[in-house]
Amino acid sequence: AKKTVRTNKNIAATGIALLLEPGSRAASIGSQIENSTYKNISVTAPTAAGGFVGYIDNDVDNDAKSSLVNTDTTEMIVGQASQIGTTGNAPTYAGGAFGYIKASLYVNFGTGTSGSYKNMKLQKVGVMATQYAGGYIGKIGGTSNINQAIYEGKGDGLSKDIFVNSSKYYAGGILGHSSGNCTILKCQTIQARIESADNSDGTASYGAGGIIGKTEGNNNSSTITECTVQQVSIISGKAGGIAGSTSSNLTVQGCMVQGSDAAVYEISGQQTAGGIIGFSTASGKKISIKQCKVKKMKMASSSWGCGGLLGDVDWNAGLDTLFVFDCAIESSEVHGKTKDATAGGMVGDIRGKMIASNLLLNNVKIHSNFSNKVGMIIGLVDTKTLNIEVAGISIQGASAYY
């Protein structure tokens, strides 16, 4: 048996919530949503809340598939003046489209048949949760393929557009947390504030990222390609312009994180911050950052590493290799705010091997409050650092100081 919910018309609802869960483990669960919108709605629930679907369980064969697609001829605008999760009753999982999906998800992506898709834009949708919050999806447990998804915040610099109000979990511009193989392509987060709160006792939150809060999984690989984060502030314990934190193999390619001349946009980590990736616990795995640019941004951390591309690699989880090719940091600042923090033009701390080439630092300020923890390329090299091979560096108008 298969239970499927399908919508294919525009809606203007005052409230919408949907729970999909099998009555027995023999059922297959799927939600296919096509060419659908909502606006001016408020959704909350104790566990999972989403603009379209709150919770989707998996089936016994782990092959359930859900989709969200725009096959119309123009960009689709979804969700103006809506709120998913509220201050007084925030759910565990919240997303502008889906709260929590245990199975696979395809957004503007083929599910066995070819298709032509236009952008989908979630516009001015506030998302709040106690553990996992994402512009589109709070948390996903299966494979995800997400294409041409745009999240646009309120743009006032003060509203917490995507917010986790506890210290131990994740927030992301498109996706809060993925524990399966994840592919994100041609997505954008613009004019937003993404935040995961810190405890009053000083315990730092787990992570927030401009595209994804965290990629996770020992045998998983994630790829983020041709994505843009523009005029976005990110505040967390571990903060990254694209990904807040990762414990999986991860490739970030052709991505841009950019502020503006009119205002300072900051990637701020109580522990660590990076222009592309905040923090790695990907022990023995590979991270690749290729053809990426960070421009007109400030990266700042108070405890560990701070870097133009990668903030810090965990002491107990050294990488196999960090690959960095054809990347640039321009008109930006990297700041280790305390005597314990490191600052590097490209990487704050590196544990494991690093292979890099064709790097540009142009008009970049790199500074820390402790003299031996600041560097043009790497802030700190220690006993957990293995081979470093770097070639083809151009440094123009950059300074490193304390």
Side-chain angles (χ1 to χ4, degrees):
K2 183 172 182 176
K3 297 181 180 180
T4 300
V5 171
R6 183 180 182 90
T7 67
N8 59 4
K9 66 177 183 177
N10 294 339
I11 57 174
T14 57
I16 181 170
L18 183 61
L19 170 70
L20 296 180
E21 186 170 12
S24 71
R25 296 304 293 166
S28 176
I29 301 302
S31 174
Q32 285 76 49
I33 302 171
E34 181 177 350
N35 299 348
S36 297
T37 70
Y38 65 80
K39 64 179 180 179
N40 193 27
I41 68 171
S42 178
V43 183
T44 194
T47 301
F52 288 116
V53 182
Y55 173 71
I56 302 178
D57 207 340
N58 206 348
D59 63 8
V60 68
D61 297 319
N62 294 318
D63 64 355
K65 296 179 176 66
S66 294
S67 62
L68 173 65
V69 298
N70 175 23
T71 58
D72 208 342
T73 57
T74 60
E75 179 177 273
M76 181 170 289
I77 307 298
V78 181
Q80 301 101 312
S82 295
Q83 180 66 42
I84 313 300
T86 60
T87 302
N89 188 23
T92 305
Y93 313 91
F98 302 94
Y100 180 20
I101 300 178
K102 283 191 172 181
S104 298
L105 174 68
Y106 299 83
V107 176
N108 277 342
F109 215 96
T111 58
T113 59
S114 61
S116 177
Y117 306 107
K118 296 296 183 180
N119 289 343
M120 180 176 295
K121 180 187 285 187
L122 282 174
Q123 187 177 65
K124 298 181 180 179
V125 180
V127 180
M128 176 180 288
T130 60
Q131 295 187 11
Y132 303 93
Y136 278 75
I137 310 108
K139 178 178 171 65
I140 185 162
T143 298
S144 56
N145 292 271
I146 304 169
N147 178 46
Q148 292 175 255
I150 302 170
Y151 177 87
E152 181 180 351
K154 295 180 178 66
D156 58 16
L158 300 174
S159 300
K160 298 175 181 179
D161 297 286
I162 302 171
F163 181 51
V164 171
N165 64 359
S166 71
S167 68
K168 295 184 178 180
Y169 296 96
Y170 304 96
I174 302 297
L175 172 57
H177 182 278
S178 169
S179 54
N181 293 318
C182 179
T183 299
I184 302 176
L185 173 65
K186 295 181 180 178
C187 291
Q188 301 175 46
T189 304
I190 56 179
Q191 294 184 337
R193 180 183 175 101
I194 303 168
E195 185 170 343
S196 57
D198 293 327
N199 275 348
S200 58
D201 64 4
T203 303
S205 53
Y206 282 6
I211 297 294
I212 186 168
K214 184 175 184 180
T215 68
E216 187 169 16
N218 288 333
N219 298 315
N220 295 331
S221 296
S222 294
T223 303
I224 304 171
T225 307
E226 296 180 39
C227 291
T228 300
V229 175
Q230 188 166 2
Q231 298 179 23
V232 175
S233 295
I234 304 166
I235 301 101
S236 181
K238 304 165 184 72
I242 297 294
S245 182
T246 182
S247 63
S248 68
N249 293 298
L250 175 62
T251 297
V252 182
Q253 185 166 359
C255 293
M256 163 78 84
V257 178
Q258 183 169 350
S260 74
D261 292 325
V264 175
Y265 291 88
E266 187 168 326
I267 301 170
S268 178
Q270 183 179 338
Q271 291 175 325
T272 180
I276 299 295
I277 301 169
F279 187 56
S280 168
T281 57
S283 179
K285 299 180 178 65
K286 295 178 174 65
I287 291 177
S288 297
I289 304 173
K290 305 175 182 179
Q291 293 106 43
C292 290
K293 180 182 287 188
V294 177
K295 188 174 183 178
K296 297 180 181 177
M297 294 294 298
K298 179 178 180 179
M299 284 65 68
S301 67
S302 299
S303 299
W304 302 342
C306 184
L309 295 175
L310 172 64
D312 200 301
V313 177
D314 187 76
W315 174 265
N316 295 313
L319 289 166
D320 176 298
T321 310
L322 169 66
F323 299 97
V324 181
F325 301 127
D326 307 316
C327 291
I329 315 295
E330 296 187 72
S331 303
S332 295
E333 180 180 359
V334 180
H335 183 198
K337 296 168 66 176
T338 70
K339 66 180 181 63
D340 298 314
T342 70
M346 294 292 171
V347 180
D349 291 354
I350 178 65
R351 279 122 190 171
K353 293 185 291 185
M354 177 176 173
I355 299 175
S357 68
N358 195 18
L359 308 180
L360 170 65
L361 287 173
N362 181 20
N363 189 28
V364 180
K365 296 191 297 183
I366 308 154
H367 56 118
S368 173
N369 292 358
F370 202 43
S371 61
N372 69 349
K373 292 185 177 181
V374 59
M376 282 287 185
I377 303 300
I378 303 170
L380 176 66
V381 173
D382 58 28
T383 58
K384 293 293 186 77
T385 304
L386 302 178
N387 296 344
I388 297 176
E389 302 174 20
V390 181
I393 304 169
S394 178
I395 300 174
Q396 304 170 16
S399 57
Y401 60 93
Y402 72 101

